[in-house]
Amino acid sequence: MNLSMRNALALSDTPELAFSDSMERELIHKAINEERALSLTGLVKVVASSIAAACVMMYEMVKETEKAIDETDSEGGFSW
């Protein structure tokens, strides 16, 4: 607990909360595990949205290419 929190508790009528070392370690361990889960979830969301955006771009590129080939074929200027 930092100094300002101790001073605030000393000025108030409420007693200071005392955590044992094991309780403190357990709280820190839980906080780290929750942070990892949030980070992993966020990472999965970012990767999924990037893949979705890439797929949409590829689909649009294929459609534009097909359209360009069809237009060129109709003008008689392109052949396989």
Side-chain angles (χ1 to χ4, degrees):
M1 185 176 300
N2 63 26
L3 188 59
S4 61
M5 289 178 67
R6 287 183 189 203
N7 288 340
L9 286 173
L11 294 174
S12 70
D13 291 333
T14 56
E16 184 176 346
L17 294 175
F19 290 108
S20 68
D21 287 342
S22 62
M23 287 174 62
E24 191 172 345
R25 279 193 294 265
E26 184 178 343
L27 289 172
I28 291 171
H29 181 71
K30 284 183 180 180
I32 290 171
N33 286 339
E34 288 174 5
E35 182 67 28
R36 284 183 188 156
L38 291 175
S39 297
L40 185 59
T41 303
L43 179 65
V44 168
K45 286 180 181 179
V46 168
V47 169
S49 66
S50 297
I51 291 172
C55 290
V56 168
M57 288 174 43
M58 289 293 290
Y59 177 78
E60 290 174 358
M61 285 174 42
V62 168
K63 285 296 180 185
E64 289 175 10
T65 302
E66 288 176 348
K67 182 179 175 184
I69 290 172
D70 289 342
E71 287 174 0
T72 306
D73 275 345
S74 66
E75 296 170 1
F78 186 83
S79 64
W80 291 98

